[in-house]
Amino acid sequence: MRITTQENLMSAFAGESQAHIRYLHFADVAEKEGFPNVARLFRAVAFSEQVHAINHFKLLRHLKDGFLTVAHAPFGPGNTSKNLELAIMGEEYEIEEMYPVYLEVAKFQGEKRAEMSFKWALESEKKHAELYKKAKEFVDSGKDAPFDKIYVCKICGYTVKGEVPERCPICGAPRDRFKEF
Ligand code: FE2
Ligand code: FE2
Ligand code: FE2
């Protein structure tokens, strides 16, 4: 694998792994503060980030001696409103800077599988930012978000609330590959 794409996969693996744990922690805080639907959203998105982390990790299996990597992500103690703000910042960084750049590098380097893994993550992060923004509006007015069921594609991490699609619009997986939250 070409070195820059490989480094980008490592960095994305680290970022997604941290986001996974960060959102599980944010879910616990939301639960304690009386926002059970926001807690459910954090858990759904945490699962989506896990899917991204594993997809990236699988492309690094050739690194038999393991690898070291560092993630930089916004994190700090806060209430649910603050946690949603940090979550939106993290998602927007991925949408506006990280994944578009990684995607273009993977394309340039002819790394098709990495390109797909980055694309799947990018499309999911767009939904995450959208859902977190909606949730923040409710939390900032002192209410829990009135969210219905949330579904996450186990193949690409695509996240949607309400109805589970017949086929995943990102990766084409059938509806039985979605996990319900
Ligand atoms: Fe992600
Ligand atoms: Fe995300
Ligand atoms: Fe999918």
Side-chain angles (χ1 to χ4, degrees):
M1 180 180 285
R2 304 291 299 276
I3 195 78
T4 308
T5 288
Q6 180 170 289
E7 281 171 357
N8 290 344
L9 277 169
M10 287 186 211
S11 143
F13 167 69
E16 296 287 357
S17 304
Q18 271 197 9
H20 170 74
I21 295 296
R22 189 164 62 244
Y23 293 158
L24 290 180
H25 172 62
F26 289 172
D28 289 344
V29 175
E31 199 81 61
K32 283 195 194 101
E33 289 181 0
F35 301 114
N37 290 336
V38 176
R40 195 158 46 80
L41 171 63
F42 274 130
R43 290 200 182 98
V45 176
F47 174 70
S48 170
E49 313 303 13
Q50 180 183 351
V51 170
H52 299 156
I54 300 298
N55 283 345
H56 298 334
F57 187 70
K58 282 179 176 167
L59 299 180
L60 295 164
R61 269 190 301 217
H62 58 283
L63 299 173
K64 302 267 187 247
D65 296 326
F67 56 87
L68 285 176
T69 187
V70 185
H72 59 100
F75 187 41
N79 59 17
T80 296
S81 173
K82 180 73 182 171
N83 290 342
L84 282 166
E85 185 189 316
L86 292 172
I88 292 164
M89 275 168 57
E91 299 290 344
E92 284 181 339
Y93 164 72
E94 290 182 327
I95 295 164
E96 287 161 17
E97 293 193 45
M98 183 179 128
Y99 279 127
V101 172
Y102 289 4
L103 191 59
E104 285 308 310
V105 171
K107 263 185 214 166
F108 176 75
Q109 297 195 317
E111 292 287 356
K112 292 270 176 238
R113 289 183 311 158
E115 185 186 330
M116 190 172 77
S117 202
F118 294 145
K119 179 79 185 158
W120 284 358
L122 173 63
E123 294 307 319
S124 308
E125 317 309 359
K126 290 178 186 168
K127 297 297 286 185
H128 298 167
E130 191 186 305
L131 290 166
Y132 282 151
K133 281 178 187 165
K134 274 194 192 126
K136 193 172 186 309
E137 284 174 27
F138 286 97
V139 167
D140 286 348
S141 62
K143 288 185 243 133
D144 192 15
F147 287 168
D148 224 352
K149 297 259 183 265
I150 300 161
Y151 298 92
V152 181
C153 176
K154 293 177 194 170
I155 309 300
C156 73
Y158 179 70
T159 308
V160 64
K161 75 175 168 68
E163 290 279 301
V164 57
E166 204 53 56
R167 280 201 169 272
C168 176
I170 308 306
C171 74
R175 65 189 305 166
D176 65 356
R177 305 312 296 271
F178 277 78
K179 189 172 158 85
E180 181 186 296
F181 288 85

